[in-house]
Amino acid sequence: MSSEVRSARGGSRQWPYPQLSALEQLSDADRDDALAFMRRTGDLLMMHKFGVDELMTKLRIWREEFDYAHEHDPIEHITSRIKRPEAIAAKLARRGLPVSPESARANLTDIAGVRVVCPFISDVYLLRDVIRQHEIEIVQTKDYIAEPKPNGYRSLHLIIKMPVHLSNRTELVAVELQLRTIAMDFWAAVEHELLYKSGGEVPEHFAAELKSAAETAAGLDAQMASLHQRSEGTSG
């Protein structure tokens, strides 16, 4: 049975309901700017891809080193993405900013993204500390593990500046790094799927159940961390 939800624009719709694309949400004028922007984003996207490549290389090296030297791999898996040109253009337009590659570079920090999923919460902060030790600039930290979002979302978000060494210069590229546990990633993946199907709005009772599930996942993280600590204490 579907649930009726009041839209922010008035009226009601049956849940779940389709998600509009980034371009469909813009006015005609903004859409024209976005389409023009999409035709000249090659350099912008390439530079951010290089930023992701640099970070992914470091993470893979650290992963192998920890597994060899400490017999513990703090990384379960790694994924990355580059934001699509139409999504970049739409975000700039929604903010009332110029829709241009220069404006995107100056104002957006989430064009490039890397997500690292770890076995334990301690691994999340271990990787953050390793990044600090290598003098990679962390320009912003949002710790949603220490202070979860109202919906229950947990993760550690860092905006870092990755040096990209080109043939004739070095560029600092902003990369959004998300660090979370397996339990946090499971919850976030299912929550994202539900929100995508609902156009970003869910019935109130769904929201309450999602938050309860997030608390259950947090409890699982704590239990597994305790087991890990006890196993470390008895090993050797």
mmCIF file of all heavy atoms in Angstrom, residues 7-44:
data_model
loop_
_atom_site.group_PDB
_atom_site.id
_atom_site.type_symbol
_atom_site.label_atom_id
_atom_site.label_comp_id
_atom_site.label_asym_id
_atom_site.label_seq_id
_atom_site.Cartn_x
_atom_site.Cartn_y
_atom_site.Cartn_z
ATOM 1 N N SER A 7 3.599 17.415 -0.591
ATOM 2 C CA SER A 7 4.769 17.972 -1.261
ATOM 3 C C SER A 7 5.085 19.352 -0.706
ATOM 4 O O SER A 7 4.192 20.081 -0.262
ATOM 5 C CB SER A 7 4.495 18.082 -2.770
ATOM 6 O OG SER A 7 5.454 18.891 -3.401
ATOM 7 N N ALA A 8 6.382 19.717 -0.757
ATOM 8 C CA ALA A 8 6.790 21.048 -0.309
ATOM 9 C C ALA A 8 6.192 22.128 -1.192
ATOM 10 O O ALA A 8 6.056 23.278 -0.782
ATOM 11 C CB ALA A 8 8.314 21.160 -0.333
ATOM 12 N N ARG A 9 5.797 21.789 -2.417
ATOM 13 C CA ARG A 9 5.213 22.763 -3.334
ATOM 14 C C ARG A 9 3.691 22.795 -3.257
ATOM 15 O O ARG A 9 3.038 23.465 -4.027
ATOM 16 C CB ARG A 9 5.638 22.423 -4.765
ATOM 17 C CG ARG A 9 7.137 22.606 -4.988
ATOM 18 C CD ARG A 9 7.495 22.260 -6.396
ATOM 19 N NE ARG A 9 8.918 22.441 -6.616
ATOM 20 C CZ ARG A 9 9.647 21.708 -7.424
ATOM 21 N NH1 ARG A 9 9.094 20.722 -8.081
ATOM 22 N NH2 ARG A 9 10.932 21.937 -7.588
ATOM 23 N N GLY A 10 3.112 22.045 -2.323
ATOM 24 C CA GLY A 10 1.666 22.002 -2.205
ATOM 25 C C GLY A 10 1.096 20.797 -2.909
ATOM 26 O O GLY A 10 1.694 20.234 -3.810
ATOM 27 N N GLY A 11 -0.118 20.389 -2.492
ATOM 28 C CA GLY A 11 -0.715 19.220 -3.099
ATOM 29 C C GLY A 11 -0.178 17.946 -2.473
ATOM 30 O O GLY A 11 0.618 17.969 -1.555
ATOM 31 N N SER A 12 -0.622 16.828 -3.003
ATOM 32 C CA SER A 12 -0.178 15.551 -2.462
ATOM 33 C C SER A 12 0.178 14.622 -3.596
ATOM 34 O O SER A 12 -0.299 14.766 -4.719
ATOM 35 C CB SER A 12 -1.279 14.926 -1.587
ATOM 36 O OG SER A 12 -2.430 14.690 -2.362
ATOM 37 N N ARG A 13 1.057 13.693 -3.282
ATOM 38 C CA ARG A 13 1.475 12.690 -4.253
ATOM 39 C C ARG A 13 1.507 11.339 -3.565
ATOM 40 O O ARG A 13 1.603 11.256 -2.354
ATOM 41 C CB ARG A 13 2.872 13.020 -4.800
ATOM 42 C CG ARG A 13 2.918 14.265 -5.660
ATOM 43 C CD ARG A 13 4.339 14.526 -6.152
ATOM 44 N NE ARG A 13 5.171 15.039 -5.081
ATOM 45 C CZ ARG A 13 6.478 15.233 -5.214
ATOM 46 N NH1 ARG A 13 7.081 14.921 -6.338
ATOM 47 N NH2 ARG A 13 7.195 15.713 -4.213
ATOM 48 N N GLN A 14 1.416 10.301 -4.361
ATOM 49 C CA GLN A 14 1.521 8.959 -3.815
ATOM 50 C C GLN A 14 2.991 8.580 -3.690
ATOM 51 O O GLN A 14 3.786 8.824 -4.591
ATOM 52 C CB GLN A 14 0.793 7.958 -4.712
ATOM 53 C CG GLN A 14 -0.720 8.155 -4.736
ATOM 54 C CD GLN A 14 -1.339 7.949 -3.366
ATOM 55 O OE1 GLN A 14 -1.056 6.962 -2.699
ATOM 56 N NE2 GLN A 14 -2.180 8.881 -2.947
ATOM 57 N N TRP A 15 3.379 8.006 -2.557
ATOM 58 C CA TRP A 15 4.773 7.611 -2.316
ATOM 59 C C TRP A 15 4.930 6.120 -2.599
ATOM 60 O O TRP A 15 4.061 5.336 -2.218
ATOM 61 C CB TRP A 15 5.137 7.901 -0.859
ATOM 62 C CG TRP A 15 6.578 7.655 -0.577
ATOM 63 C CD1 TRP A 15 7.610 8.516 -0.767
ATOM 64 C CD2 TRP A 15 7.153 6.460 -0.061
ATOM 65 N NE1 TRP A 15 8.795 7.949 -0.410
ATOM 66 C CE2 TRP A 15 8.543 6.674 0.024
ATOM 67 C CE3 TRP A 15 6.667 5.211 0.322
ATOM 68 C CZ2 TRP A 15 9.431 5.716 0.495
ATOM 69 C CZ3 TRP A 15 7.548 4.251 0.776
ATOM 70 C CH2 TRP A 15 8.914 4.512 0.862
ATOM 71 N N PRO A 16 6.003 5.644 -3.283
ATOM 72 C CA PRO A 16 7.086 6.475 -3.810
ATOM 73 C C PRO A 16 6.701 7.138 -5.120
ATOM 74 O O PRO A 16 5.797 6.678 -5.806
ATOM 75 C CB PRO A 16 8.211 5.468 -4.028
ATOM 76 C CG PRO A 16 7.507 4.179 -4.285
ATOM 77 C CD PRO A 16 6.241 4.222 -3.467
ATOM 78 N N TYR A 17 7.395 8.228 -5.460
ATOM 79 C CA TYR A 17 7.120 8.944 -6.686
ATOM 80 C C TYR A 17 8.434 9.285 -7.371
ATOM 81 O O TYR A 17 9.484 9.299 -6.755
ATOM 82 C CB TYR A 17 6.292 10.196 -6.432
ATOM 83 C CG TYR A 17 6.626 10.917 -5.156
ATOM 84 C CD1 TYR A 17 7.682 11.829 -5.106
ATOM 85 C CD2 TYR A 17 5.889 10.670 -3.998
ATOM 86 C CE1 TYR A 17 7.978 12.488 -3.928
ATOM 87 C CE2 TYR A 17 6.202 11.322 -2.819
ATOM 88 C CZ TYR A 17 7.238 12.231 -2.786
ATOM 89 O OH TYR A 17 7.536 12.874 -1.622
ATOM 90 N N PRO A 18 8.406 9.550 -8.683
ATOM 91 C CA PRO A 18 9.656 9.635 -9.447
ATOM 92 C C PRO A 18 10.502 10.839 -9.077
ATOM 93 O O PRO A 18 9.985 11.891 -8.706
ATOM 94 C CB PRO A 18 9.168 9.727 -10.900
ATOM 95 C CG PRO A 18 7.791 10.264 -10.802
ATOM 96 C CD PRO A 18 7.224 9.715 -9.528
ATOM 97 N N GLN A 19 11.817 10.661 -9.213
ATOM 98 C CA GLN A 19 12.789 11.710 -8.950
ATOM 99 C C GLN A 19 13.039 12.474 -10.242
ATOM 100 O O GLN A 19 13.318 11.890 -11.272
ATOM 101 C CB GLN A 19 14.100 11.083 -8.468
ATOM 102 C CG GLN A 19 15.258 12.046 -8.347
ATOM 103 C CD GLN A 19 15.242 12.763 -7.020
ATOM 104 O OE1 GLN A 19 14.231 13.323 -6.640
ATOM 105 N NE2 GLN A 19 16.357 12.742 -6.332
ATOM 106 N N LEU A 20 12.932 13.818 -10.184
ATOM 107 C CA LEU A 20 13.253 14.627 -11.343
ATOM 108 C C LEU A 20 14.758 14.683 -11.517
ATOM 109 O O LEU A 20 15.508 14.702 -10.549
ATOM 110 C CB LEU A 20 12.701 16.053 -11.170
ATOM 111 C CG LEU A 20 11.182 16.212 -11.135
ATOM 112 C CD1 LEU A 20 10.826 17.654 -10.854
ATOM 113 C CD2 LEU A 20 10.562 15.772 -12.449
ATOM 114 N N SER A 21 15.212 14.734 -12.774
ATOM 115 C CA SER A 21 16.643 14.873 -13.014
ATOM 116 C C SER A 21 17.082 16.267 -12.606
ATOM 117 O O SER A 21 16.267 17.184 -12.439
ATOM 118 C CB SER A 21 16.957 14.640 -14.491
ATOM 119 O OG SER A 21 16.532 15.758 -15.259
ATOM 120 N N ALA A 22 18.417 16.444 -12.468
ATOM 121 C CA ALA A 22 18.954 17.744 -12.068
ATOM 122 C C ALA A 22 18.536 18.833 -13.048
ATOM 123 O O ALA A 22 18.161 19.942 -12.645
ATOM 124 C CB ALA A 22 20.480 17.659 -11.965
ATOM 125 N N LEU A 23 18.588 18.551 -14.343
ATOM 126 C CA LEU A 23 18.245 19.562 -15.341
ATOM 127 C C LEU A 23 16.755 19.875 -15.358
ATOM 128 O O LEU A 23 16.352 21.023 -15.568
ATOM 129 C CB LEU A 23 18.691 19.100 -16.737
ATOM 130 C CG LEU A 23 20.207 19.083 -16.989
ATOM 131 C CD1 LEU A 23 20.494 18.590 -18.390
ATOM 132 C CD2 LEU A 23 20.807 20.466 -16.781
ATOM 133 N N GLU A 24 15.926 18.884 -15.134
ATOM 134 C CA GLU A 24 14.472 19.098 -15.162
ATOM 135 C C GLU A 24 14.004 20.020 -14.046
ATOM 136 O O GLU A 24 12.933 20.618 -14.142
ATOM 137 C CB GLU A 24 13.749 17.754 -15.062
ATOM 138 C CG GLU A 24 13.858 16.901 -16.316
ATOM 139 C CD GLU A 24 13.260 15.531 -16.124
ATOM 140 O OE1 GLU A 24 13.303 14.995 -14.995
ATOM 141 O OE2 GLU A 24 12.744 14.978 -17.111
ATOM 142 N N GLN A 25 14.811 20.150 -12.990
ATOM 143 C CA GLN A 25 14.420 20.999 -11.864
ATOM 144 C C GLN A 25 14.753 22.471 -12.094
ATOM 145 O O GLN A 25 14.386 23.318 -11.291
ATOM 146 C CB GLN A 25 15.120 20.514 -10.588
ATOM 147 C CG GLN A 25 14.728 19.105 -10.194
ATOM 148 C CD GLN A 25 15.491 18.616 -8.987
ATOM 149 O OE1 GLN A 25 15.620 19.315 -7.991
ATOM 150 N NE2 GLN A 25 16.020 17.412 -9.060
ATOM 151 N N LEU A 26 15.437 22.795 -13.200
ATOM 152 C CA LEU A 26 15.883 24.157 -13.451
ATOM 153 C C LEU A 26 14.888 24.908 -14.339
ATOM 154 O O LEU A 26 14.114 24.316 -15.084
ATOM 155 C CB LEU A 26 17.252 24.141 -14.138
ATOM 156 C CG LEU A 26 18.401 23.466 -13.378
ATOM 157 C CD1 LEU A 26 19.661 23.498 -14.228
ATOM 158 C CD2 LEU A 26 18.634 24.143 -12.036
ATOM 159 N N SER A 27 14.967 26.243 -14.273
ATOM 160 C CA SER A 27 14.193 27.069 -15.189
ATOM 161 C C SER A 27 14.771 26.940 -16.601
ATOM 162 O O SER A 27 15.878 26.426 -16.794
ATOM 163 C CB SER A 27 14.256 28.537 -14.749
ATOM 164 O OG SER A 27 15.583 29.030 -14.896
ATOM 165 N N ASP A 28 14.026 27.430 -17.603
ATOM 166 C CA ASP A 28 14.501 27.326 -18.982
ATOM 167 C C ASP A 28 15.837 28.034 -19.163
ATOM 168 O O ASP A 28 16.743 27.518 -19.833
ATOM 169 C CB ASP A 28 13.463 27.914 -19.938
ATOM 170 C CG ASP A 28 12.210 27.044 -20.033
ATOM 171 O OD1 ASP A 28 12.290 25.847 -19.667
ATOM 172 O OD2 ASP A 28 11.161 27.556 -20.469
ATOM 173 N N ALA A 29 15.983 29.231 -18.577
ATOM 174 C CA ALA A 29 17.228 29.996 -18.726
ATOM 175 C C ALA A 29 18.391 29.268 -18.069
ATOM 176 O O ALA A 29 19.485 29.154 -18.645
ATOM 177 C CB ALA A 29 17.066 31.389 -18.128
ATOM 178 N N ASP A 30 18.153 28.773 -16.859
ATOM 179 C CA ASP A 30 19.224 28.041 -16.163
ATOM 180 C C ASP A 30 19.576 26.752 -16.902
ATOM 181 O O ASP A 30 20.735 26.338 -16.931
ATOM 182 C CB ASP A 30 18.798 27.716 -14.728
ATOM 183 C CG ASP A 30 18.866 28.929 -13.805
ATOM 184 O OD1 ASP A 30 19.580 29.889 -14.157
ATOM 185 O OD2 ASP A 30 18.209 28.898 -12.744
ATOM 186 N N ARG A 31 18.575 26.133 -17.516
ATOM 187 C CA ARG A 31 18.836 24.897 -18.252
ATOM 188 C C ARG A 31 19.723 25.162 -19.465
ATOM 189 O O ARG A 31 20.622 24.385 -19.780
ATOM 190 C CB ARG A 31 17.519 24.246 -18.675
ATOM 191 C CG ARG A 31 17.689 22.807 -19.177
ATOM 192 C CD ARG A 31 16.348 22.167 -19.530
ATOM 193 N NE ARG A 31 15.477 22.128 -18.387
ATOM 194 C CZ ARG A 31 14.283 22.717 -18.328
ATOM 195 N NH1 ARG A 31 13.818 23.385 -19.373
ATOM 196 N NH2 ARG A 31 13.539 22.635 -17.244
ATOM 197 N N ASP A 32 19.494 26.301 -20.140
ATOM 198 C CA ASP A 32 20.341 26.661 -21.284
ATOM 199 C C ASP A 32 21.783 26.872 -20.842
ATOM 200 O O ASP A 32 22.727 26.430 -21.503
ATOM 201 C CB ASP A 32 19.806 27.926 -21.960
ATOM 202 C CG ASP A 32 18.502 27.680 -22.701
ATOM 203 O OD1 ASP A 32 18.208 26.504 -23.003
ATOM 204 O OD2 ASP A 32 17.782 28.661 -22.973
ATOM 205 N N ASP A 33 21.965 27.559 -19.687
ATOM 206 C CA ASP A 33 23.317 27.764 -19.152
ATOM 207 C C ASP A 33 23.975 26.432 -18.811
ATOM 208 O O ASP A 33 25.168 26.233 -19.051
ATOM 209 C CB ASP A 33 23.264 28.640 -17.893
ATOM 210 C CG ASP A 33 22.957 30.094 -18.208
ATOM 211 O OD1 ASP A 33 23.120 30.502 -19.376
ATOM 212 O OD2 ASP A 33 22.558 30.821 -17.273
ATOM 213 N N ALA A 34 23.188 25.536 -18.235
ATOM 214 C CA ALA A 34 23.726 24.235 -17.834
ATOM 215 C C ALA A 34 24.172 23.430 -19.052
ATOM 216 O O ALA A 34 25.226 22.797 -19.040
ATOM 217 C CB ALA A 34 22.678 23.456 -17.042
ATOM 218 N N LEU A 35 23.395 23.459 -20.125
ATOM 219 C CA LEU A 35 23.760 22.721 -21.329
ATOM 220 C C LEU A 35 25.030 23.284 -21.961
ATOM 221 O O LEU A 35 25.893 22.530 -22.442
ATOM 222 C CB LEU A 35 22.598 22.750 -22.325
ATOM 223 C CG LEU A 35 21.355 21.945 -21.904
ATOM 224 C CD1 LEU A 35 20.194 22.224 -22.845
ATOM 225 C CD2 LEU A 35 21.667 20.456 -21.870
ATOM 226 N N ALA A 36 25.161 24.618 -21.944
ATOM 227 C CA ALA A 36 26.386 25.234 -22.465
ATOM 228 C C ALA A 36 27.584 24.853 -21.602
ATOM 229 O O ALA A 36 28.680 24.579 -22.120
ATOM 230 C CB ALA A 36 26.221 26.756 -22.509
ATOM 231 N N PHE A 37 27.373 24.821 -20.293
ATOM 232 C CA PHE A 37 28.436 24.444 -19.361
ATOM 233 C C PHE A 37 28.912 23.021 -19.629
ATOM 234 O O PHE A 37 30.115 22.730 -19.610
ATOM 235 C CB PHE A 37 27.911 24.575 -17.929
ATOM 236 C CG PHE A 37 28.774 23.959 -16.872
ATOM 237 C CD1 PHE A 37 29.856 24.644 -16.349
ATOM 238 C CD2 PHE A 37 28.493 22.690 -16.387
ATOM 239 C CE1 PHE A 37 30.649 24.077 -15.361
ATOM 240 C CE2 PHE A 37 29.281 22.112 -15.404
ATOM 241 C CZ PHE A 37 30.362 22.820 -14.890
ATOM 242 N N MET A 38 27.978 22.130 -19.882
ATOM 243 C CA MET A 38 28.313 20.721 -20.083
ATOM 244 C C MET A 38 29.222 20.516 -21.286
ATOM 245 O O MET A 38 29.967 19.543 -21.349
ATOM 246 C CB MET A 38 27.035 19.894 -20.244
ATOM 247 C CG MET A 38 26.231 19.754 -18.951
ATOM 248 S SD MET A 38 24.546 19.177 -19.233
ATOM 249 C CE MET A 38 24.854 17.599 -20.019
ATOM 250 N N ARG A 39 29.195 21.460 -22.235
ATOM 251 C CA ARG A 39 30.014 21.303 -23.436
ATOM 252 C C ARG A 39 31.462 21.741 -23.216
ATOM 253 O O ARG A 39 32.298 21.544 -24.081
ATOM 254 C CB ARG A 39 29.379 22.088 -24.585
ATOM 255 C CG ARG A 39 28.097 21.448 -25.114
ATOM 256 C CD ARG A 39 27.639 22.111 -26.395
ATOM 257 N NE ARG A 39 27.061 23.425 -26.157
ATOM 258 C CZ ARG A 39 25.750 23.651 -25.947
ATOM 259 N NH1 ARG A 39 24.908 22.621 -25.950
ATOM 260 N NH2 ARG A 39 25.307 24.849 -25.728
ATOM 261 N N ARG A 40 31.774 22.354 -22.067
ATOM 262 C CA ARG A 40 33.139 22.853 -21.865
ATOM 263 C C ARG A 40 33.700 22.498 -20.483
ATOM 264 O O ARG A 40 34.373 23.295 -19.851
ATOM 265 C CB ARG A 40 33.197 24.363 -22.097
ATOM 266 C CG ARG A 40 32.169 25.188 -21.347
ATOM 267 C CD ARG A 40 32.113 26.614 -21.887
ATOM 268 N NE ARG A 40 31.120 27.409 -21.192
ATOM 269 C CZ ARG A 40 31.386 28.182 -20.145
ATOM 270 N NH1 ARG A 40 32.622 28.274 -19.680
ATOM 271 N NH2 ARG A 40 30.429 28.884 -19.567
ATOM 272 N N THR A 41 33.410 21.300 -20.054
ATOM 273 C CA THR A 41 33.868 20.869 -18.728
ATOM 274 C C THR A 41 35.020 19.866 -18.771
ATOM 275 O O THR A 41 35.387 19.313 -17.739
ATOM 276 C CB THR A 41 32.699 20.226 -17.945
ATOM 277 O OG1 THR A 41 32.166 19.140 -18.718
ATOM 278 C CG2 THR A 41 31.621 21.234 -17.635
ATOM 279 N N GLY A 42 35.594 19.640 -19.939
ATOM 280 C CA GLY A 42 36.607 18.594 -20.060
ATOM 281 C C GLY A 42 37.773 18.767 -19.105
ATOM 282 O O GLY A 42 38.155 17.827 -18.394
ATOM 283 N N ASP A 43 38.371 19.964 -19.079
ATOM 284 C CA ASP A 43 39.527 20.201 -18.208
ATOM 285 C C ASP A 43 39.157 20.057 -16.742
ATOM 286 O O ASP A 43 39.916 19.490 -15.946
ATOM 287 C CB ASP A 43 40.106 21.601 -18.454
ATOM 288 C CG ASP A 43 40.807 21.707 -19.797
ATOM 289 O OD1 ASP A 43 41.050 20.648 -20.419
ATOM 290 O OD2 ASP A 43 41.106 22.836 -20.232
ATOM 291 N N LEU A 44 37.991 20.580 -16.367
ATOM 292 C CA LEU A 44 37.536 20.517 -14.973
ATOM 293 C C LEU A 44 37.402 19.063 -14.513
ATOM 294 O O LEU A 44 37.905 18.683 -13.449
ATOM 295 C CB LEU A 44 36.187 21.231 -14.829
ATOM 296 C CG LEU A 44 35.521 21.173 -13.459
ATOM 297 C CD1 LEU A 44 36.211 22.119 -12.484
ATOM 298 C CD2 LEU A 44 34.027 21.514 -13.559
#
